[in-house]
Amino acid sequence: MATRTRRSQRRTEALSRERIVEAAIELLDAAGEGGLTFRALTERLATGPGAIYWHVANKDELLDAATGAVVAAALAAERAESAESAGPAGPDEPAESAEPAESAEPAESAEPAESAKLAGPAESPDSPQDKIRAIAFGLFDAIEEHPWLPTQLALQLSRSPWGSVTPRIFESIGRQVRALGVPEGHWFTAASALVHYILGATGQNAANSASARNLAPDVDRAEFLDAASKVWEELDPDDYPFIRAVAAQMREHDDREQFLAGIDLVLTGIAALHLPGERGSTPPPAP
């Protein structure tokens, strides 16, 4: 009996909020929100429910904590990669002080000329634009890896914008909007446009992937897009001239390349509206 008690004490002492959240993420990845139950959690952690309730009050708190942990890890990873790419410059040196260089382009881009056109003027290494792209791709990859994440992010933004997740995402994007030189009166609008595009596009991409898997689990992405594009091509030409014209582009598109193009479109719009001296810029709308 004494041996069993000591083992139970060691197991309880080793249990932490971080380990509980880690196990919750594993369950969410494996079976979605429906698979995250306190019964499943106690089995995975080989402990009793009381030890878990000591650290988290209920499932909602656990979902919030899991979402926060995944987002924090995604943003931290992108910050680390950005710091490494900055080279020997000190961490306090502003990105704007770097010498001008050609715009960095993603390796997966199939049309570099078009991407450069969307990116606008040449950017310095580790520029605010590149940092925004890095943040966006960090969230893109996190949502691909954790299919349950888009729903939780949407809930966080609408239900508890004062929680840890929404401020963390807005702060990461907002610092780069400020570094771009956007006037303070337009910081919230510009950051919101980027955040809403990033989360909306990544969430839709995750939903598309999930739908494709559910509708045709044995069909790969290329086959799924090919089937969809053929349906588009057969639509009535009078009612759907545009859809028929882009059917082949839909079949051949790359999700990450398309995502980057959208980021660059938003950045180009921000520059045109809010950055002085940009070619083709227009005055900001009246307040």
Side-chain angles (χ1 to χ4, degrees), residues 9 15 38 41 82 111 123 144 154 173 209 246 254 270 280:
Q9 288 174 343
L15 189 64
F38 275 74
L41 202 54
S82 179
E111 299 180 0
E123 300 161 8
E144 277 203 332
I173 293 292
S209 299
V246 300
D254 177 89
I270 290 173

Side-chain angles (χ1 to χ4, degrees), residues 8-283:
S8 177
Q9 288 174 343
R10 283 199 298 269
R11 189 165 55 240
T12 301
E13 289 167 358
L15 189 64
S16 65
R17 181 180 173 89
E18 290 74 18
R19 178 66 190 109
I20 292 170
V21 171
E22 179 184 329
I25 292 170
E26 292 168 359
L27 288 171
L28 286 165
D29 290 346
E33 185 177 336
L36 177 60
T37 65
F38 275 74
R39 179 188 293 274
L41 202 54
T42 56
E43 291 176 357
R44 179 171 288 265
L45 293 169
T47 189
I52 295 175
Y53 282 117
W54 177 264
H55 295 281
V56 290
N58 50 49
K59 183 174 178 178
D60 284 342
E61 182 180 336
L62 191 55
L63 284 167
D64 290 349
T67 303
V70 170
V71 169
L75 296 178
E78 294 311 314
R79 282 198 300 271
E81 289 181 11
S82 179
E84 290 176 4
S85 70
D92 296 327
E93 181 179 340
E96 298 90 299
S97 66
E99 290 296 321
E102 294 182 359
S103 174
E105 309 235 341
E108 55 267 28
S109 176
E111 299 180 0
E114 184 65 22
S115 180
K117 188 191 305 179
L118 289 173
E123 300 161 8
S124 57
D126 202 32
S127 65
Q129 293 94 328
D130 278 343
K131 290 182 178 179
I132 288 170
R133 295 183 189 105
I135 293 166
F137 275 131
L139 293 171
F140 184 98
D141 290 339
I143 286 173
E144 277 203 332
E145 185 177 351
H146 307 284
W148 52 272
L149 189 57
T151 300
Q152 294 305 314
L153 285 173
L155 287 173
Q156 289 279 346
L157 263 68
S158 61
R159 185 182 62 193
S160 56
W162 50 80
S164 64
V165 174
T166 301
R168 181 177 284 123
I169 294 174
F170 263 88
E171 182 67 23
S172 296
I173 293 292
R175 289 188 183 190
Q176 305 313 318
V177 166
R178 182 176 62 184
L180 281 171
V182 173
E184 185 174 355
H186 300 286
W187 284 356
F188 180 72
T189 299
S192 295
L194 284 161
V195 169
H196 291 151
Y197 170 77
I198 291 168
L199 298 185
T202 52
Q204 186 61 55
N205 183 70
N208 292 345
S209 299
S211 296
R213 287 192 298 269
N214 292 335
L215 292 173
D218 298 327
V219 177
D220 65 19
R221 177 183 180 279
E223 292 173 324
F224 182 82
L225 291 178
D226 183 62
S229 67
K230 286 177 179 176
V231 173
W232 281 18
E233 289 169 341
E234 294 171 0
L235 292 172
D236 188 300
D238 294 327
D239 292 336
Y240 300 97
F242 175 80
I243 292 295
R244 285 168 56 93
V246 300
Q249 296 175 34
M250 189 269 283
R251 178 193 296 121
E252 299 163 1
H253 86 277
D254 177 89
D255 291 334
R256 291 176 67 87
E257 182 182 336
Q258 185 183 57
F259 179 64
L260 176 62
I263 293 289
D264 286 342
L265 283 170
V266 177
L267 288 172
T268 299
I270 290 173
L273 284 171
H274 301 308
L275 301 189
E278 292 293 338
R279 185 168 53 188
S281 64
T282 57

